[in-house]
Amino acid sequence: MPTQRAATRWHRGRTPAVVMILLVGASMAFATDAWAQRLPADTLHPANPNQQLFRGRDITLLLGAFVISSELAHYDTKIARYTQSPSVQGDSGRLQLVNRLTKANETTLTAGALVAYGIGRFAHLPVVTDVSAHVGEALLITNVVSQAIRGPFGRARPYVTQDDQNSDFHVGKGFTSYKYRSLPSLHSASAFAAASAITAELNERRPGAAWPVGAVLYTAAAIPGLTRMYLDQHWASDVVMGGFLGAFIGHKVVVHAHANPRNRLDRMLLGTTVVPEGRGRFVVSWNAAIP
């Protein structure tokens, strides 16, 4: 009986996430394929192998983001107390809705990109494969960079200090304790990385549509970060810093990938082919000469 109850709890906890992964992946694949059907034959910007991943002006952007986040930190406790007020928290129905929305996180988005990539490879949809591969790359890099920041800083989450102390840092404690991984918000970083990467992909192929679609994507990307504030998991400055970090990485990954179409990671991902052989078997081949 204990084993059966444990299995039931696992299914209840994991099923919504699995469903979201499949929905995100399938939606990305089919939306990208439908979009690709209407693209002109040659819409990509010309490659520029000399373009560097990071430029000098990026330092200015990073410093600007740090300054904005630092200034917002002065209001962290006030914002946290407001988000925990009865008027904002509402009833149990609102809490359930937020708990569903907060499942749009680094795990579901990355897995969704992998599902879309798999669909693109099996269905021989080059644009779907290209877009989902770059979104996946952006998400993975964002996750690694975010964790590399969270570990050393060891910033306490709002609920740890009862929303009263946003400067509670414990160097290195973020590596060992979930309670001290507040800065930056990984939910926010991942959502903005996906939004930024997809917008950058659209800008490569149809620049005129990038602004309106990007506005929708970035608006949606703000939701996971807001849910984490509602759940008292992150300070407002965590969310803003995570959002900037994700948007920055997502854009950089896509622009650099299209400027250097024969980079090693693209050759590995986009040059791989999986073909069914029959009787449940598949043949995996790799071609370094990708277009």
Side-chain angles (χ1 to χ4, degrees):
M1 290 300 292
T3 302
Q4 184 176 0
R5 284 197 296 270
T8 302
R9 284 196 300 271
W10 189 92
H11 283 295
R12 286 177 179 174
R14 301 295 181 183
T15 298
V18 173
V19 171
M20 181 170 287
I21 288 170
L22 295 175
L23 287 175
V24 169
S27 297
M28 184 185 296
F30 293 120
T32 305
D33 184 47
W35 155 44
Q37 301 284 340
R38 296 190 290 273
L39 287 176
D42 184 12
T43 55
L44 287 177
H45 294 163
N48 180 14
N50 295 320
Q51 181 171 315
Q52 297 179 345
L53 180 59
F54 296 106
R55 301 179 181 180
R57 65 183 182 184
D58 294 336
I59 299 297
T60 304
L61 289 173
L62 290 170
L63 288 175
F66 178 78
V67 170
I68 292 173
S69 181
S70 298
E71 287 299 315
L72 182 61
H74 293 304
Y75 304 94
D76 272 343
T77 55
K78 290 183 179 180
I79 295 173
R81 290 167 187 162
Y82 172 72
T83 59
Q84 298 310 301
S85 64
S87 60
V88 174
Q89 288 292 304
D91 57 14
S92 60
R94 185 178 299 179
L95 177 61
Q96 290 178 359
L97 174 62
V98 171
N99 279 325
R100 293 191 187 100
L101 292 174
T102 202
K103 292 187 184 299
N105 55 28
E106 67 281 0
T107 301
T108 53
L109 291 173
T110 304
L114 292 175
V115 169
Y117 174 79
I119 293 173
R121 297 305 300 170
F122 278 102
H124 303 290
L125 304 172
V127 176
V128 173
T129 305
D130 182 81
V131 171
S132 56
H134 293 152
V135 172
E137 290 172 22
L139 286 165
L140 288 172
I141 294 173
T142 299
N143 291 343
V144 171
V145 172
S146 297
Q147 296 292 9
I149 296 172
R150 283 147 64 100
F153 274 83
R155 190 185 197 184
R157 295 181 184 273
Y159 71 85
V160 176
T161 66
Q162 287 75 51
D163 305 316
D164 191 51
Q165 183 58 266
N166 71 333
S167 59
D168 186 16
F169 291 88
H170 298 263
V171 178
K173 199 167 183 178
F175 289 117
T176 59
S177 176
Y178 174 82
K179 294 180 180 180
Y180 295 91
R181 296 175 190 161
S182 189
L183 178 69
S185 166
L186 194 50
H187 277 66
S188 181
S190 298
F192 275 92
S196 178
I198 295 172
T199 302
E201 285 287 352
L202 184 57
N203 189 57
E204 288 289 329
R205 294 171 167 84
R206 183 171 289 177
W211 276 107
V213 174
V216 174
L217 291 175
Y218 279 115
T219 300
I223 295 175
L226 294 176
T227 65
R228 302 305 282 169
M229 291 168 61
Y230 175 94
L231 295 171
D232 214 22
Q233 294 288 328
H234 284 291
W235 305 100
S237 56
D238 298 334
V239 172
V240 170
M241 193 64 198
F244 177 84
L245 183 67
F248 177 79
I249 293 174
H251 178 78
K252 281 291 179 180
V253 165
V254 172
V255 172
H256 184 261
H258 286 291
N260 301 270
R262 294 185 180 277
N263 64 78
R264 291 182 179 180
L265 189 55
D266 271 12
R267 280 186 293 163
M268 180 183 72
L269 292 175
L270 304 180
T272 302
T273 305
V274 182
V275 181
E277 190 183 38
R279 293 180 294 179
R281 297 179 180 178
F282 296 89
V283 175
V284 180
S285 61
W286 182 69
N287 179 16
I290 62 171

